[in-house]
Amino acid sequence: MKKALTISTSVLVTAGLLMPMSATQAAPAHQAGSRQGSYTPAEPTWGECESPRLQAAGAECGMLEVPLNHARPGGRKIQIAVSRVLHTDPDYKGIIVGNPGGPGGSGLGMARLGAAIPNGVGAKYDWYGFDPRGVGSSTPSLSCDPDYAGAGYDRPDYVPTKRWTKRWWLRVTKKYARDCSRADAKALLPFMRTTDVAADLDALRAAVGAKKLNYYAFSYGTYLGQVYATRYPKRVGRFVWDGVLNAKNAFYQANLDQNIQFDKNINTYFRWLADHDDTFALGTDWRAIRRGYYRLLDRLDRAPAADGKLGPDELSDVMLSAGYYVYDWVAIGEAYAKLAKTGDGADIIAMYAGPGDDNGFAVYNAVQCTDAKWPGWKRTQADAWRIHRKHPFLTWGNTWFNAPCLNWPAASRKAVRVSGDRIKTPILLIAETNDAATVYSGALATRRAFPSSYLIEGVGGTTHSGSLSGIACTDDTIAAYLDTGKLPKRKPGNNRSDQKCDPVPAPEPTDAAARSFGPATNDRMPADLRSLLSNAQRTQR
């Protein structure tokens, strides 16, 4: 029997959940923070983390108590799971909080990000990670239907060329939204907007006694940063936003923008495969490779590979990674070539996330379905077919991924109008020219909205949120900014970047390290931390 969407939740494995601590394990508390409204957050009681990687980094974990509804601080409280790695350099710069993106991404592992900052600058900060409300180890944790993905294999074709296919997807996505209205944590649903998460972020700042917030964010986390900066402009410290989301397009239009750019990026990948015919033997004509890909999707729809598990949707989901990042190009190319030439899909299905708990997907919907107005099915269907005709790679898969918003049980509201007019401190923006998840025009729009910002462009690159990947032009600028709080002089004009750097480079198939599924060897981040980021960010489909 064909099943529903697959929800990738391996992020929780890499993040590391909390484990209960005894009183003797708790770290000494910092000074109590300032009030937020009439609610004074208490600092978490710090203790050992469950994750071995966080333990090895010397991290501590705890729970931050915040109001469910910040407008009623005396009411029900919820718990936000928090981690931290304290500074080791006496040149202390303050706290810095990391967010990996999503929405729905676990961020406990972000406390380890400081080790990836060049020149030892990261050691000058106390690094904090957190699971946003409803995510992972935070309580309550939102799950609507843990079995939503079912077996998660050979689902009906994303492209609804048959009436029954469209009816199936509409039914299953509507049922998911209905299941969320019955979830144990359904009380969260009206309070999952980015403004609520921004208030939690400020509560963390206050709880640890910091006057200003420093913040390093990726993907959706850049939008969270924009909302925070708009709401709390006097508390903005050193902010780094990598993979910048256009707040004006959150979130329906942002998904339409993705559909176009991902299609362009997969063409870039097909060109790369053609340029390396000596390795992949798929031919030297990239257009022929593209045509072969769509013929293969049709064939898999008729006769799934890999013991009936690999249908067109599963192949599309694996190939999507090549549109996000260059890190896995070799491994994906080898697996795809094997499937295309021999019909053996074992390696592709091994790369497929497969079924899992729906926590990340539930939070993804809970945030984006309520953050801004969402259109009905008539417009959604018309936009999908219009874009699909020219850009078919992602369009319908993305449409169904976001379809629970058509029937979401919590009301959507008017989007926040972000503005940096009251912010004087420099903000560092980073984006590659052909980023598909957060398109480059969004970085330019954010640069215009925040006059104190400075934009680094990875010229011609297709990687999403690729900072700290070993590109000195980018990474050294980040380190200098976090060390001094200063950035080079902003260039005149609104529709340009301020600094041009090389992008994350495409791998060479002859590099043995590039043949494994994972980040490149020049990546400054540990592989598991880069994987945490990519897992969080791929919920943005």
Side-chain angles (χ1 to χ4, degrees):
M1 179 181 176
K2 296 186 175 185
K3 302 293 182 179
L5 291 172
T6 289
I7 311 305
S8 176
T9 57
S10 53
V11 65
L12 296 179
V13 176
T14 56
L17 306 182
L18 297 167
M19 67 185 300
M21 295 299 115
S22 68
T24 58
Q25 291 172 307
H30 286 226
Q31 177 182 345
S34 60
R35 284 181 176 270
Q36 178 173 320
S38 59
Y39 175 73
T40 303
E43 178 164 14
T45 298
W46 299 104
E48 187 178 10
C49 302
E50 185 178 87
S51 163
R53 291 191 175 100
L54 284 172
Q55 290 177 15
E60 301 167 308
C61 290
M63 289 292 205
L64 175 72
E65 186 173 85
V66 299
L68 170 66
N69 180 359
H70 282 274
R72 295 183 177 179
R76 178 180 172 181
K77 305 298 189 297
I78 60 174
Q79 306 289 323
I80 306 299
V82 184
S83 59
R84 71 177 184 182
V85 173
L86 299 177
H87 69 285
T88 56
D89 190 309
D91 185 16
Y92 180 55
K93 302 294 184 182
I95 73 160
I96 185 166
V97 180
N99 182 278
S106 168
L108 291 178
M110 296 296 287
R112 299 170 52 218
L113 187 62
I117 308 297
N119 307 321
V121 172
K124 300 180 180 183
Y125 285 88
D126 292 340
W127 287 84
Y128 286 77
F130 71 107
D131 281 356
R133 55 174 55 205
V135 175
S137 295
S138 292
T139 57
S141 180
L142 182 63
S143 175
C144 302
D145 180 1
D147 296 322
Y148 176 56
Y153 299 111
D154 186 26
R155 297 156 293 160
D157 192 351
Y158 285 143
V159 184
T161 53
K162 305 178 184 71
R163 283 186 181 180
W164 76 266
T165 304
K166 180 173 74 171
R167 289 197 301 266
W168 190 92
W169 282 109
L170 286 172
R171 183 177 69 252
V172 78
T173 54
K174 182 177 183 178
K175 181 181 181 300
Y176 186 77
R178 186 168 65 248
D179 289 340
C180 287
S181 70
R182 301 167 179 169
D184 290 343
K186 63 184 178 182
L188 284 172
L189 296 181
F191 307 106
M192 291 293 293
R193 300 186 73 214
T194 300
T195 50
D196 297 304
V197 184
D200 296 341
L201 192 57
D202 197 58
L204 174 59
R205 174 205 60 79
V208 299
K211 292 183 178 179
K212 290 196 173 185
L213 177 74
N214 303 303
Y215 181 67
Y216 198 126
F218 302 84
S219 199
Y220 161 79
T222 69
Y223 177 66
L224 172 59
Q226 293 174 59
V227 172
Y228 181 92
T230 301
R231 290 294 184 94
Y232 310 102
K234 294 182 179 179
R235 299 170 190 169
V236 172
R238 300 170 191 181
F239 276 32
V240 180
W241 296 339
D242 181 12
V244 189
L245 193 146
N246 187 347
K248 291 183 179 179
N249 288 351
F251 284 99
Y252 179 75
Q253 182 61 46
N255 280 283
L256 301 186
D257 294 342
Q258 287 179 348
N259 297 338
I260 295 169
Q261 189 61 50
F262 269 109
D263 195 81
K264 294 178 180 179
N265 281 10
I266 204 64
N267 288 346
T268 299
Y269 182 57
F270 290 146
R271 290 187 181 95
W272 181 85
L273 291 173
D275 289 343
H276 295 283
D277 179 56
D278 55 340
T279 297
F280 303 107
L282 290 168
T284 59
D285 182 348
W286 75 268
R287 292 181 178 85
I289 295 175
R290 178 182 172 92
R291 289 193 297 271
Y293 171 73
Y294 286 103
R295 285 196 300 269
L296 181 53
L297 292 180
D298 290 339
R299 190 159 70 246
L300 290 173
D301 192 32
R302 296 190 301 270
D307 298 324
K309 292 182 177 180
L310 181 60
D313 301 350
E314 292 72 43
L315 176 58
S316 298
D317 288 353
V318 171
M319 296 295 284
L320 181 62
S321 292
Y324 267 101
Y325 318 102
V326 299
Y327 306 119
D328 303 322
W329 275 13
V330 177
I332 293 172
E334 290 181 335
Y336 175 73
K338 182 178 179 180
L339 171 66
K341 290 183 294 183
T342 72
D344 185 349
D347 292 347
I348 287 286
I349 207 67
M351 293 178 176
Y352 177 60
D357 183 84
D358 69 320
N359 174 241
F361 185 59
V363 174
Y364 170 86
N365 283 286
V367 174
Q368 76 152 17
C369 296
T370 59
D371 249 14
K373 296 294 183 181
W374 204 264
W377 172 243
K378 183 177 180 180
R379 178 182 168 189
T380 298
Q381 178 176 229
D383 285 340
W385 281 122
R386 172 179 56 83
I387 296 173
H388 173 86
R389 281 191 284 273
K390 189 174 181 180
H391 303 287
F393 174 66
L394 176 65
T395 299
W396 272 106
N398 209 11
T399 300
W400 296 126
F401 194 82
N402 294 284
C405 287
L406 295 168
N407 298 283
W408 196 249
S412 60
R413 302 180 190 176
K414 187 176 181 180
V416 174
R417 183 182 178 276
V418 304
S419 172
D421 291 344
R422 298 168 60 194
I423 297 169
K424 305 303 180 185
T425 54
I427 294 174
L428 178 57
L429 314 180
I430 304 162
E432 292 204 350
T433 314
N434 298 310
D435 181 349
T438 51
V439 297
Y440 183 67
S441 59
L444 294 175
T446 305
R447 182 180 179 270
R448 291 192 295 271
F450 289 81
S452 69
S453 65
Y454 179 93
L455 174 60
I456 297 176
E457 177 186 2
V459 179
T462 63
T463 290
H464 175 53
S465 294
S467 65
L468 305 177
S469 291
I471 308 302
C473 174
T474 299
D475 296 352
D476 289 349
T477 302
I478 294 168
Y481 168 62
L482 291 179
D483 197 25
T484 66
K486 297 179 181 178
L487 286 167
K489 186 177 180 180
R490 178 172 159 131
K491 303 292 185 184
N494 284 328
N495 296 307
R496 58 169 301 166
S497 58
D498 300 289
Q499 180 175 327
K500 297 184 183 297
C501 294
D502 289 335
V504 180
E508 288 297 327
T510 53
D511 183 356
R515 307 181 85 84
S516 62
F517 194 64
T521 54
N522 64 340
D523 200 340
R524 298 189 61 89
M525 287 192 201
D528 67 287
L529 189 53
R530 181 65 73 183
S531 295
L532 184 150
L533 293 176
S534 63
N535 285 331
Q537 292 157 11
R538 274 183 286 215
T539 63
Q540 278 200 306
R541 255 192 340 91

